[in-house]
Amino acid sequence: MSIQLTEQNFQSEVLESDKPVLVDFWAPWCGPCKMMGPVIEDLANEMGDSVKIGKVNVDDEEELAQKYGIMNIPCFIVFKGGQAVNQKVGGCSKEALKELFA
């Protein structure tokens, strides 16, 4: 299951996480974002406790979107050790998302 990320919990849930974290920057009005929702949940179920998966609603969390240079959504960023290490923009397969953790 994915975590709803906000400015208030981003530091503790993502930057201070001891596990890799996939952050999905999305918006409710975005068609491709809606299509990726089930893919993200399937990935979360498959990878279990080995990673964290969180979602940032860019409409509600504009500062986070600006901080990470989000220009297009959906945008997926993997964080390890508090650093953004890999990124993909646009809809993609579950396998493509898994590769971001490599």
Side-chain angles (χ1 to χ4, degrees), residues 14-69:
V14 177
L15 301 180
E16 296 173 0
S17 176
D18 56 350
K19 301 175 186 176
V21 183
L22 173 70
V23 179
D24 172 12
F25 289 88
W26 72 288
W29 48 262
C30 167
C33 298
K34 288 180 184 178
M35 289 175 34
M36 288 303 297
V39 177
I40 295 292
E41 291 304 320
D42 192 30
L43 180 67
N45 291 334
E46 184 176 314
M47 297 194 76
D49 289 339
S50 62
V51 301
K52 278 188 183 180
I53 297 181
K55 296 173 79 72
V56 174
N57 182 331
V58 296
D59 289 342
D60 295 341
E61 302 296 334
E62 292 178 24
E63 287 181 22
L64 278 176
Q66 280 185 331
K67 181 175 183 178
Y68 291 100

